[in-house]
Amino acid sequence: MKHWGVILLAAVLLAPVELSAETIALVSDLNGRYGSTDYNRRVERAVGVISQLQPDLVLIAGDMVAGQKQPLLDSDRLAGMWSAFHATVSDPLRQSGIPVVVTPGNHDGSALPGFELEQEQFARQWTTRRPGLTFLPGSDWPTRYAAMLGDVLLIGFDGTWPGAVQETEKAFVGEALARHSGKARATVAFSHLPLWPFAKGRESQTLNDPEFLALLHRHGVDVYASGHHHVSWAGVDAAGMVHLSVGALGGGARSFSAGSSRQPHSFMLLSVEETRTRIETRMAPGFESPVGTTELPERIEGPLGVLERLDGPAPLRP
């Protein structure tokens, strides 16, 4: 296993994202052990840094609380876990004036059978925390929705069921893209599970759906962001779409599917400029500066093809 302290000291620093375009802070997988109402101090530290940076939006790609384990949980316990999350994450960001959008994760809103309690609590917790964005017709906040951040189209959907994307979600995404993508300068789609196997041991926990990928390509989606795999990596597919694997802030670090190196905990910044996107990763413990990418895998292979590592800005798709 590589020594990440040495890597970080040796990393080539990238030019920090200038918060002059639409800038989105992406965080994911903040939960601790099953049933926990405590959050690691690094989560508070990351929230503090994000609050100072003042992005236009925070996007949380799932796994905010540590559910998905019965009979450990009941409604009261789960409500208490959400109260702890809001106190640690949601409320400080709201007090800083930063809107928050979310997508369900397997621990806090899995679509798989048997996790109806988590699904109900996820909807209940976020229905009253709808951010002040322009939500578009057909949206069903907080599970699946299309919203505008300036002239950037955001499409969130429930991607918690591995394998083919559920037909309800695929139909929603397809309709939203058909109706709205042509009016947006850029489009960012997101859910919890990735389309590519970024992490070792989670190779089967992806949205392995060529038809869905073709749908995103057909409508010119610029960025697809996801969590769950606990590694931070940005790459581009053969059609030019950027894929962002958002690293974990809470649970354990993982190794890349294409190597043995583990990462520190992290969050990402995505800046959507006039003609391009720029991505940077901020890593624990201090989250102070963006880090370079040269120590990361050059490519990630999966059933849907190959992703090539993104080492600089990516042009917006026509």
Side-chain angles (χ1 to χ4, degrees):
M1 182 175 74
K2 294 184 179 180
H3 192 291
W4 272 97
V6 174
I7 291 173
L8 291 181
L9 288 174
V12 178
L13 293 183
L14 304 175
V17 165
E18 297 177 5
L19 305 187
S20 56
E22 282 81 4
T23 301
I24 303 170
L26 300 103
V27 301
S28 191
D29 299 270
L30 303 97
N31 58 288
R33 66 190 182 280
Y34 285 115
S36 174
T37 56
D38 298 320
Y39 286 83
N40 192 287
R41 290 292 301 274
R42 82 173 74 87
V43 176
E44 296 180 28
R45 192 175 304 118
V47 169
V49 171
I50 291 170
S51 296
Q52 292 176 350
L53 289 170
Q54 283 290 298
D56 298 292
L57 182 73
V58 170
L59 190 164
I60 306 179
D63 281 3
M64 291 159 269
V65 299
Q68 206 183 25
K69 192 174 181 69
Q70 283 79 20
L72 174 65
L73 299 178
D74 56 26
S75 294
D76 290 341
R77 179 64 176 267
L78 194 52
M81 292 159 59
W82 276 112
S83 294
F85 174 81
H86 293 316
T88 306
V89 180
S90 313
D91 292 341
L93 291 172
R94 184 167 57 179
Q95 291 162 8
S96 297
I98 306 171
V100 177
V101 297
V102 297
T103 189
N106 59 291
H107 284 293
D108 50 32
S110 174
L112 291 169
F115 302 108
E116 291 76 14
L117 176 63
E118 285 88 342
Q119 296 165 26
E120 293 169 5
Q121 278 283 354
F122 176 83
R124 182 178 302 131
Q125 293 295 327
W126 288 103
T127 296
T128 58
R129 290 175 176 266
R130 179 167 166 153
L133 302 179
T134 301
F135 283 81
L136 301 173
S139 294
D140 183 19
W141 168 266
T143 305
R144 60 192 65 81
Y145 53 90
M148 298 301 297
L149 175 66
D151 56 0
V152 176
L153 174 61
L154 306 172
I155 296 183
F157 67 96
D158 184 344
T160 57
W161 192 312
V165 176
Q166 292 177 279
E167 289 302 319
T168 54
E169 307 306 310
K170 194 180 300 185
F172 167 76
V173 172
E175 182 176 349
L177 287 171
R179 294 178 66 179
H180 307 300
S181 63
K183 307 169 188 176
R185 175 169 55 90
T187 301
V188 178
F190 54 94
S191 74
H192 187 57
L193 293 181
L195 279 72
W196 256 260
F198 295 106
K200 189 168 293 184
R202 294 202 162 173
E203 289 86 352
S204 64
Q205 297 178 37
T206 68
L207 301 179
N208 182 11
D209 191 330
E211 181 181 283
F212 184 71
L213 179 62
L215 172 68
L216 301 182
H217 287 163
R218 187 162 62 250
H219 290 283
V221 172
D222 296 283
V223 176
Y224 177 78
S226 61
H228 190 63
H229 280 212
H230 294 207
V231 294
S232 180
W233 196 85
V236 62
D237 65 25
M241 186 170 74
V242 173
H243 295 254
L244 300 181
S245 174
V246 183
L249 279 178
R254 286 187 170 268
S255 299
F256 284 103
S257 57
S260 60
S261 57
R262 291 177 181 258
Q263 290 182 301
H265 299 81
S266 64
F267 67 84
M268 274 183 169
L269 290 171
L270 165 65
S271 183
V272 183
E273 300 175 346
E274 184 175 355
T275 61
R276 64 182 187 174
T277 59
R278 286 196 295 147
I279 298 100
E280 67 177 49
T281 295
R282 299 288 186 97
M283 289 186 173
F287 306 102
E288 299 97 343
S289 301
V291 298
T293 60
T294 56
E295 296 291 337
L296 303 181
E298 293 183 2
R299 60 186 54 84
I300 300 289
E301 299 183 11
L304 299 180
V306 178
L307 298 180
E308 299 290 344
R309 189 182 68 205
L310 186 63
D311 291 328
L316 294 177
R317 301 177 71 194

